[in-house]
Amino acid sequence: NAGVTQTPKFQVLKTGQSMTLQCAQDMNHNSMYWYRQDPGMGLRLIYYSASEGTTDKGEVPNGYNVSRLNKREFSLRLESAAPSQTSVYFCASIGSEGVQETQYFGPGTRLLVL
Amino acid sequence: KNQVEQSPQSLIILEGKNCTLQCNYTVSPFSNLRWYKQDTGRGPVSLTIMTFSENTKSNGRYTATLDADTKQSSLHITASQLSDSASYICVVRGGGADGLTFGKGTHLIIQP
């Protein structure tokens, strides 16, 4: 099991450029999430997908779009990058293990927008 | 408003000492409370998950407590090691768009 994987690990963009952050999980989880983490702000939810075919906005969705391509993959797209989107992006999934549910995070994508 | 407040923001202790991190929440309805450890440059990793009926849960040298009446939780680290240097994040399920409310974390530094 690779768990939650993210690509790329690092990316530098110029203002106005677009890019897609990829996320995949091999744990057969239904729920997947995209967060951004900024210094002093903690993790903030951008979008989430409770199941294949559904997506919902989180706390900070402006400037982003998502696609739940299938049960494994959940991508995050920046159509026109802005310096305010410089951040570390984490993908996560939640699965039930017995009576407990555990959230697994990917290693993160570090994005710098110039 | 659903909120999770953690204290202190940062903490420096000597290797081998114990420490306790605090988490207060106002999330309602409450489902469970999690503590995560996040090493620098990595994603958070789950340490413990506690439901309403659980007062204490341990994971090695980490012990989490939950007082659902006062809406407080603590994470106690015993005999700290250099590898405990990390951010510790408290998360409560029961609020937010997706049902999860995150604290901002406590940054812990263990000095030799």
Side-chain angles (χ1 to χ4, degrees):
Chain A
N1 270 1
V4 179
T5 57
Q6 292 183 234
T7 56
K9 286 188 170 57
F10 304 96
Q11 185 70 48
V12 179
L13 291 178
K14 293 181 180 177
T15 297
Q17 287 185 317
S18 62
M19 78 162 295
T20 300
L21 283 65
Q22 306 285 355
C23 173
Q25 51 90 11
D26 61 0
M27 297 172 283
N28 202 36
H29 290 167
N30 285 321
S31 299
M32 297 185 73
Y33 306 77
W34 274 107
Y35 297 94
R36 60 178 289 173
Q37 189 174 39
D38 303 292
M41 297 294 291
L43 283 152
R44 293 184 292 170
L45 180 68
I46 305 171
Y47 271 93
Y48 69 104
S49 171
S51 62
E52 184 180 354
T54 69
T55 60
D56 287 284
K57 295 179 180 179
E59 182 184 352
V60 289
N62 290 345
Y64 305 95
N65 285 304
V66 291
S67 295
R68 185 73 183 268
L69 304 170
N70 47 55
K71 193 170 186 179
R72 289 188 65 249
E73 299 172 288
F74 188 36
S75 63
L76 178 72
R77 183 159 179 83
L78 286 70
E79 291 291 351
S80 178
S84 61
Q85 293 179 303
T86 293
S87 187
V88 182
Y89 292 85
F90 288 100
C91 178
S93 67
I94 280 188
S96 295
E97 297 174 356
V99 297
Q100 295 285 17
E101 54 177 28
T102 300
Q103 191 172 29
Y104 296 88
F105 285 82
T109 294
R110 283 144 190 82
L111 176 66
L112 172 63
V113 182
L114 301 175
Chain B
K1 181 182 177 184
N2 291 313
Q3 283 189 314
V4 174
E5 300 286 344
Q6 291 187 243
S7 61
Q9 277 189 326
S10 60
L11 181 63
I12 302 173
I13 64 171
L14 293 175
E15 186 180 10
K17 297 296 186 183
N18 303 334
C19 67
T20 300
L21 314 181
Q22 300 290 343
C23 173
N24 296 338
Y25 61 93
T26 57
V27 176
S28 181
F30 174 87
S31 178
N32 58 54
L33 184 145
R34 310 125 180 270
W35 283 94
Y36 289 88
K37 179 187 180 189
Q38 185 177 20
D39 293 316
T40 300
R42 293 178 176 264
V45 174
S46 179
L47 291 175
T48 64
I49 302 175
M50 289 184 291
T51 59
F52 185 88
S53 59
E54 296 175 293
N55 301 115
T56 302
K57 187 166 263 190
S58 292
N59 179 354
R61 294 179 296 101
Y62 300 100
T63 299
T65 65
L66 174 64
D67 185 334
D69 291 330
T70 61
K71 299 187 177 182
Q72 295 180 325
S73 176
S74 65
L75 181 69
H76 185 75
I77 304 174
T78 303
S80 61
Q81 300 176 358
L82 296 178
S83 60
D84 293 330
S85 293
S87 288
Y88 292 84
I89 303 170
C90 176
V91 184
V92 179
R93 181 178 269 289
D98 65 330
L100 293 170
T101 304
F102 283 75
K104 293 182 180 180
T106 292
H107 186 52
L108 176 64
I109 297 173
I110 311 297
Q111 288 187 335

